[in-house]
Amino acid sequence: GSALLTANVNQNGNSMCSFYNYQWRKNGVNISGATSPTYTATDYGLYSVLVTGATPGCNCNMVSDTAKVKFYPDPIANIETSSTVCFDPAGNPWSFNLVASNFAGYTYNWSSSIAGISFSPNNSTSNSTTATGTLTTNTNFVIYLQVVDANGCSAVDSLCIYTYENPTVNITSTGTLCANSINTMSVVSPSVTNNYSWNTGAVGTSISTILSGNYFVTATNLLTGCSAFSNSIFVNPSPSLQLFPIGC
């Protein structure tokens, strides 16, 4: 970091002094080569400038006020969220969460490279926010984060967002949908780019079972990582044989 110091001379109507010499000092010691009206301080300390007249008849010497320069460590801006946003177009406007590294005393300001994206909360001490907007598939845009610490120092980070639609998946069944008989559940029109994982732990486009219960599959697009659940199919328990009399 650095701080720009500037010497402003008030002539108070003295027309004899039109040019000046400058000598900057740090902690009362002259700084070698620092003889301009401005000085860029790159270290903390007490700075002043000695100003002397540089024209005939102007031999005044003036010492400025002392400027105290402090340097603070740069704050850290770091967005931790994945770049991929999966969404369902039918659910627009869509919301997704953003999280940044959390530091006490920071204020977090979020913005976007495209219009129509809102953030809640924003300009707050919360390191997380919910972004909401109408998304379209295969559209890229940038999320910006500016953090400001308790000393007023700031830092920025950015994240490129890639939007992809969630896959669509439906299942159908064959069989009586009663336990103790074979029932087969299958994905309708499976895609080669999807992985299909059933709630039983099985993987594939179909399963067969004789057990009662709810069955559904999760489709995950292998290219984008986006996933979706299918409809659910229920296999009924078999009737109890105790309900039927056995002989005489």
Side-chain angles (χ1 to χ4, degrees):
S2 63
L4 179 64
L5 307 175
T6 302
N8 294 312
V9 178
N10 185 350
Q11 295 183 344
N12 290 324
N14 185 354
S15 60
M16 297 181 64
C17 295
S18 54
F19 297 98
Y20 298 92
N21 294 320
Y22 301 88
Q23 176 59 61
W24 289 92
R25 297 172 174 177
K26 175 188 174 185
N27 299 328
V29 179
N30 289 347
I31 303 172
S32 177
T35 56
S36 298
T38 61
Y39 178 73
T40 300
T42 57
D43 193 12
Y44 64 88
L46 301 176
Y47 290 85
S48 61
V49 61
L50 172 65
V51 181
T52 58
T55 54
C58 181
N59 55 3
C60 296
N61 295 332
M62 298 169 285
V63 178
S64 71
D65 296 333
T66 299
K68 186 176 184 178
V69 175
K70 295 182 178 180
F71 287 97
Y72 301 99
D74 291 330
I76 299 172
N78 180 41
I79 304 175
E80 299 177 347
T81 307
S82 168
S83 290
T84 298
V85 172
C86 304
F87 76 104
D88 179 2
N92 271 322
W94 195 260
S95 295
F96 57 97
N97 295 323
L98 297 164
V99 178
S101 299
N102 189 25
F103 294 94
Y106 278 21
T107 298
Y108 296 83
N109 301 290
W110 302 88
S111 59
S112 171
S113 63
I114 61 174
I117 304 293
S118 62
F119 303 89
S120 180
N122 200 8
N123 193 26
S124 76
T125 57
S126 173
N127 68 309
S128 62
T129 188
T130 298
T132 302
T134 299
L135 304 183
T136 57
T137 190
N138 298 326
T139 298
N140 303 338
F141 59 95
V142 182
I143 295 293
Y144 300 104
L145 169 65
Q146 180 193 53
V147 299
V148 181
D149 66 14
N151 299 312
C153 300
S154 64
V156 295
D157 191 20
S158 61
L159 177 70
C160 189
I161 296 293
Y162 304 90
T163 59
Y164 302 104
E165 289 186 21
N166 288 325
T168 57
V169 55
N170 291 286
I171 59 174
T172 187
S173 64
T174 59
T176 62
L177 293 184
C178 291
N180 295 327
S181 64
I182 296 177
N183 297 281
T184 299
M185 273 68 71
S186 302
V187 175
V188 178
S189 300
S191 170
V192 294
T193 61
N194 290 343
N195 177 73
Y196 297 97
S197 177
W198 297 83
N199 62 317
T200 62
V203 176
T205 58
S206 64
I207 58 170
S208 295
T209 182
I210 61 172
L211 303 177
S212 65
N214 260 320
Y215 295 88
F216 62 89
V217 71
T218 301
T220 302
N221 188 302
L222 299 175
L223 302 178
T224 66
C226 298
S227 61
F229 297 111
S230 73
N231 55 305
S232 178
I233 293 178
F234 183 70
V235 175
N236 297 287
S238 58
S240 173
L241 295 179
Q242 294 179 353
L243 298 177
F244 302 95
I246 303 176
C248 296

